[in-house]
Every structure is written in structure tokens, then in C-alpha cells.
Amino acid sequence: MVEQSLVFIKPDGVKRRLMADIVGRFEKRGFLFKHMELRQLTPEAVDTHYRDHVNQPFYPGLKAFILSGPVLLMVLEGDRCVDTIRQMVGPTDALVAPAGTIRGDLALSKGENVIHASDSPESAQREIAHFFGH
Ligand code: UDP
Ligand code: MG
């Protein structure tokens, strides 16, 4: 089966009018768009999505940030797309993200870093089922 990744533009990216820039990068790279939806997440959905982080000290701030406005959810498809998209996104801390990556070009913070992307094919399957499953 062709690999898929769950990606979303975080509320800072939506508010800062970065959707077209970010979506354009994925379109031009050649990924297939399987879903795209602007959605205000619920507190429960944020807890489920970030289940591995809920006990971290930064989690209350992260949760408030993700709930601060709608996110643009996407399911993208392509060979080895999980790793390829993570390379395009760059490291978590945008302050050290290389120029040319989405975080390195568009963000300056470790928390408000404009985008989420699945970190493994297994995470991608779980995240896609969570946001788009029945
Ligand atoms: N985050 C944060 N402070 C930290 C680490 C992470 O606010 O010290 C936030 C940040 O928005 C990050 C998200 O929590 O994107 C998830 O963390 P993860 O380590 O999974 O980073 P990612 O996979 O998004 O690069
Ligand atoms: Mg992660």
C-alpha cells in the first residue's frame, strides 16, 4: 500500500495566512492530496492526538495553542512520504531549523512551529484513523 502521512497546519500558520505557501510546497513536490479540511479541534481530540506528550510540562501550553483556532488537516500520499514530509518540515525547534524547511522559513519558536507531520508510518496510520476514521 502506498504510504500516507497526517499533516496539519497549526493555528499560528492559519492566522498568519501561511496555508497557501505550505499547501503549495506539498503540491509542487508531487504528493497526492487525499483529504484536506479546516477544523476546530476539541480538547479530547488534542489529548488523543498528543497522547505521548500529555504528561510533559509544555503540554498545557501546547494544548491551549492547538485549540486557539482551526487547523488545516491533510492526508498526503506518496512513496516514503512520512520521511520526505518530515524533511520538508524540519526539526521541532524552528530556531534551529535550516532555511528551506517549512519551520526554518516560516517560524521562530519551538512551540508555535506552524505544522504537524506524522513521525512514522505507524503514527500516520493511527493519526489518520483518529481524524478521518469512522
Ligand atoms: N512542543 C513544545 N515544547 C517542547 C517540545 C514540543 O511546545 O519543548 C510542541 C511543539 O509544538 C511540537 C509539539 O509539541 O511540534 C509536538 O512535539 P514533538 O516532539 O512530537 O515535535 P514534532 O514531531 O512536532 O516535531
Ligand atoms: Mg511529533
Side-chain angles (χ1 to χ4, degrees):
M1 189 187 145
V2 184
E3 195 166 284
Q4 296 185 337
S5 181
L6 186 286
V7 176
F8 61 79
I9 301 177
K10 295 179 179 179
D12 57 334
V14 175
K15 286 179 192 151
R16 292 174 54 215
R17 311 293 196 254
L18 298 175
M19 288 192 293
D21 182 322
I22 295 169
V23 168
R25 293 176 188 229
F26 293 130
E27 270 196 303
K28 285 181 269 193
R29 189 72 190 265
F31 298 111
L32 187 61
F33 283 68
K34 301 296 288 186
H35 293 281
M36 186 156 64
E37 180 190 328
L38 197 62
R39 191 189 294 182
Q40 173 65 50
L41 299 184
T42 64
E44 295 72 27
V46 177
D47 289 343
T48 301
H49 175 70
Y50 284 119
R51 65 176 187 182
D52 296 333
H53 296 310
V54 290
N55 295 317
Q56 295 293 321
F58 62 80
Y59 188 69
L62 172 62
K63 184 173 179 176
F65 164 52
I66 299 296
L67 290 171
S68 69
V71 300
L72 186 69
L73 289 164
M74 288 169 263
V75 177
L76 303 182
E77 185 175 289
D79 288 341
R80 300 191 55 193
C81 71
V82 168
D83 279 353
T84 310
I85 290 169
R86 289 286 292 199
Q87 285 171 11
M88 291 174 72
V89 165
T92 306
D93 186 351
L95 272 181
V96 302
T101 64
I102 292 168
R103 286 169 171 163
D105 289 346
L106 303 177
L108 273 173
S109 159
K110 190 173 187 178
E112 302 205 2
N113 55 11
V114 302
I115 189 164
H116 166 82
S118 305
D119 64 6
S120 69
E122 296 71 32
S123 304
Q125 286 308 307
R126 176 177 75 82
E127 293 170 2
I128 291 166
H130 170 237
F131 287 115
F132 291 104
H134 300 289

